[in-house]
Amino acid sequence: MKAVTIPAFGEADVLRVDEIKAPEPGLGQVSIDVAYAGANFAEVLYRRGVVDVPLPFVPGIEVSGHIRAVGPDVEGLRPGQPVAALTIVDSGGYAEVAVTSADLVAPLDGLDLGLDVAAAIPSNSTTAFLVLDRAARIEPGETVLVHAAAGGVGSQLGQAARQLGAGRVVGTVGGPAKIETARGFGYDDVVLRDELPDRVAELTGGRGFDIVVDMVGGPARRASLDALAPMGRMIVMGNASGADDVGVSANELWFTNKSVAGFNLAAFSGAFPADAGRGLRRAVAAAASGDLRVQVEELPLEQAAEAHRRIESGATTGKLVLAVRG
């Protein structure tokens, strides 16, 4: 089969289109003829060597397509069935055939959802629901702040917060050009990230935010902690800025009644595949019903390097997907 591989760690140009052996499903797994693969910052981290993976490595944490074959002990899925799936545990989505746990598959039968959009849901949209529900434990009426609000996962977090009962949802962006884009994803207010420290009181009536989701890191992480209300929760789920880690004092958390937690979809999916699968199916249903807007831009699989460059530039809005099969 055709696949994009990482033969060596480095810049986007190291990505290579290769012919490799198609994988077969094992116990509790399915193989999928991939139509589209989502492009994510996680795959950039694999390519850079930030995440230790064996080389050559096929990246790709989410796909859409049709079931190719089912392994032993798989029920409720059949060959030819249209699906969206998380391939995040072992990766491999940048290929014509991908294998994943049957728990991490969402059937698309009867849903008004194109395969291009379906490929953009498993990572970002599932994360949006899980991070707010399971990690932040959102309560009705709470105020939520999301960094990188115009990006792939940020575009979903504002909408998911709305569906989960948030009272006020605010997003930050890196530049003025992204403000209106972010507003279209369910945010009450969108502010420049550098201006956040001076705007917290105005945006929250002087109280601070109940929940902050930070995938940016660096100065935004410190500003996020300062922006929390008493009993507020900051969820760390990325470091897109590439900045050095920001230390958080346990004594500070003690004295201010604040909490910091992390959420990593790959680790969650590996430890709790059934829960991750339920989150995926919830996200797919929300997108199919129109409750969740997913903005997609398509590139051919052979332009995976270009997709990575766009993601690294920070200029993307919504989600990039790679067209694998016609």
Side-chain angles (χ1 to χ4, degrees), residues 160-174:
R162 281 266 178 252
Q163 293 186 45
L164 294 170
R168 186 174 183 79
V169 188
V170 177
T172 76
V173 293

Side-chain angles (χ1 to χ4, degrees), residues 270-290:
F272 310 106
D275 291 338
R278 281 190 287 271
L280 167 59
R281 290 184 283 277
R282 181 183 195 178
V284 164
S289 69

Side-chain angles (χ1 to χ4, degrees), residues 98-191:
V99 165
T100 192
S101 166
D103 285 334
L104 299 177
V105 173
L108 302 177
D109 310 67
L111 299 180
D112 184 18
L113 199 63
L115 289 177
D116 54 346
V117 175
I121 293 170
S123 175
N124 292 341
S125 306
T126 302
T127 293
F129 282 105
L130 289 174
V131 74
L132 291 167
D133 191 20
R134 295 293 297 272
R137 302 186 184 277
I138 188 171
E139 295 287 342
E142 288 192 313
T143 56
V144 178
L145 174 70
V146 176
H147 290 298
V153 69
S155 71
Q156 303 301 287
L157 277 160
Q159 298 178 81
R162 281 266 178 252
Q163 293 186 45
L164 294 170
R168 186 174 183 79
V169 188
V170 177
T172 76
V173 293
K178 293 187 176 182
I179 290 177
E180 288 308 313
T181 298
R183 286 189 188 278
F185 291 119
Y187 290 95
D188 293 300
D189 287 289
V190 180
V191 300

